[in-house]
Amino acid sequence: MVTVLLNSVWSTGLIYTNSGATLSEFLVGGLVGLQSDQKVTIWKSYSTVSFDNEAGGTSRLGVGGLVGANIDYPNHTDWGLSTNSTTAWLKISESYTTGSFTVNNLNPTWYGTGLMIGVAYAPTTITNSFTLGAIGNHTNLYSYSEMYRDWE
C-alpha cells in the first residue's frame, strides 16, 4: 500500500462540465479526485476551487472541496476492481476549503457533494479544519460553513 502526504499544497480555479456532456463518473476534488487503496494524509493545505457540473447521465458522482471520493475498493466490488488490496484511509488536518458547487445531476447511482469530501466509503478522519462555501443546483444555492475539530 502506498502512503501519500500532501503537505502545504493548494489549488484554485473552476472545474466545469458543459450541459451537452454525458459522464458515467464524475469524481473530482480540489486536491484529489479519487482516493483509493492508499493511505493519504492532507495537512496544512487548502482549495478555493469551484465546481459547475451541468452534465447529465452521471452514474457515480463525488464532488468535494479537497477530496471527491475516498473509497475502499475491497468493500465496493461494484467498481469491478481487485479485492486483494488492504484498507484505504484518509486523514485531513489543519486544512480548509472555500468555493461554490453547483450540480445539476441529482439522480446518479450514488452521489455525494460536500465542501470537504464528496463521498467517504473508507475510514476518514478530519481534525482542526473548516469549510466555507455554497452547494446547490442552478436554481438554488445554499451557503454552508463547517468546522471539524475531531470527526471520524
Side-chain angles (χ1 to χ4, degrees):
M1 176 173 292
V2 176
T3 300
V4 177
L5 171 63
L6 299 176
N7 180 9
S8 302
V9 298
W10 59 272
S11 65
T12 187
L14 172 67
I15 297 174
Y16 173 79
T17 62
N18 69 25
S19 59
T22 299
L23 303 172
S24 61
E25 297 174 358
F26 188 65
L27 305 172
V28 61
L31 296 180
V32 177
L34 171 62
Q35 190 300 104
S36 65
D37 295 341
Q38 301 174 59
K39 296 179 178 182
V40 175
T41 300
I42 299 174
W43 184 48
K44 294 186 178 181
S45 299
Y46 71 92
S47 173
T48 62
V49 170
S50 290
F51 302 92
D52 188 352
N53 179 23
E54 296 184 15
T58 307
S59 63
R60 293 182 178 99
L61 176 69
V63 178
L66 288 182
V67 178
N70 179 34
I71 299 172
D72 179 16
Y73 279 143
N75 296 320
H76 293 278
T77 56
D78 59 315
W79 284 71
L81 301 174
S82 169
T83 60
N84 297 325
S85 65
T86 56
T87 301
W89 56 253
L90 172 67
K91 295 180 181 178
I92 298 173
S93 182
E94 299 179 40
S95 299
Y96 70 92
T97 67
T98 63
S100 62
F101 302 174
T102 53
V103 179
N104 273 346
N105 184 2
L106 300 178
N107 297 309
T109 305
W110 60 257
Y111 71 99
T113 302
L115 293 174
M116 188 69 70
I117 300 173
V119 176
Y121 286 148
T124 303
T125 303
I126 303 172
T127 57
N128 298 323
S129 299
F130 73 92
T131 66
L132 180 63
I135 298 176
N137 55 34
H138 289 275
T139 305
N140 300 303
L141 197 60
Y142 303 96
S143 296
Y144 287 95
S145 65
E146 301 165 337
M147 178 80 82
Y148 299 92
R149 178 125 175 100
D150 292 302
W151 182 84
E152 287 188 63

